[in-house]
Amino acid sequence: MDMEALLAQKRDFEEQMNWITQVREDVLDTVFLDPAQSAKPVKIRTLFDMDFQTELIQLLTKFQDVFAWDYSGMKGLDPKFY
């Protein structure tokens, strides 16, 4: 195996290790889409950059009416279930 192939394998290995490390360090943060009522919690990755987190929270807040926040909001479930 030539030196270039070995270096490519080393880069691939380092990228995989960086990804594994990142996944282990990933933490979820709880964000409330309705802070006044401390309701409608969602989990957001802390490894997203702040601009993306802000845009994501704004999007989720804007469309929060499309989520089922409890079992009764899930159409088609037997009421005995909840």
Side-chain angles (χ1 to χ4, degrees):
M1 187 176 285
D2 65 352
M3 185 58 97
E4 190 173 320
L6 286 172
L7 290 173
Q9 281 185 341
K10 180 180 183 274
R11 280 191 304 272
D12 289 344
F13 175 76
E14 288 172 349
E15 286 176 17
Q16 289 174 3
M17 292 307 296
N18 285 337
W19 184 83
I20 290 168
T21 303
Q22 184 179 23
V23 169
R24 286 187 182 161
E25 292 174 359
D26 194 7
V27 177
L28 297 176
D29 190 21
T30 301
V31 176
F32 294 94
L33 298 184
D34 189 359
Q37 297 177 0
S38 295
K40 301 183 178 178
V42 294
K43 302 283 186 179
I44 307 276
R45 280 184 81 183
T46 58
L47 290 181
F48 289 142
D49 65 60
M50 289 306 291
D51 291 336
F52 182 79
Q53 285 184 27
T54 302
E55 289 178 28
L56 180 59
I57 291 167
Q58 289 172 351
L59 179 74
L60 293 172
T61 301
K62 181 177 180 178
F63 294 104
Q64 63 183 295
D65 60 321
V66 301
F67 298 105
W69 295 100
D70 56 29
Y71 292 120
S72 64
M74 296 179 194
K75 294 181 180 183
L77 284 183
D78 186 345
K80 295 177 203 170
F81 182 72
Y82 53 91

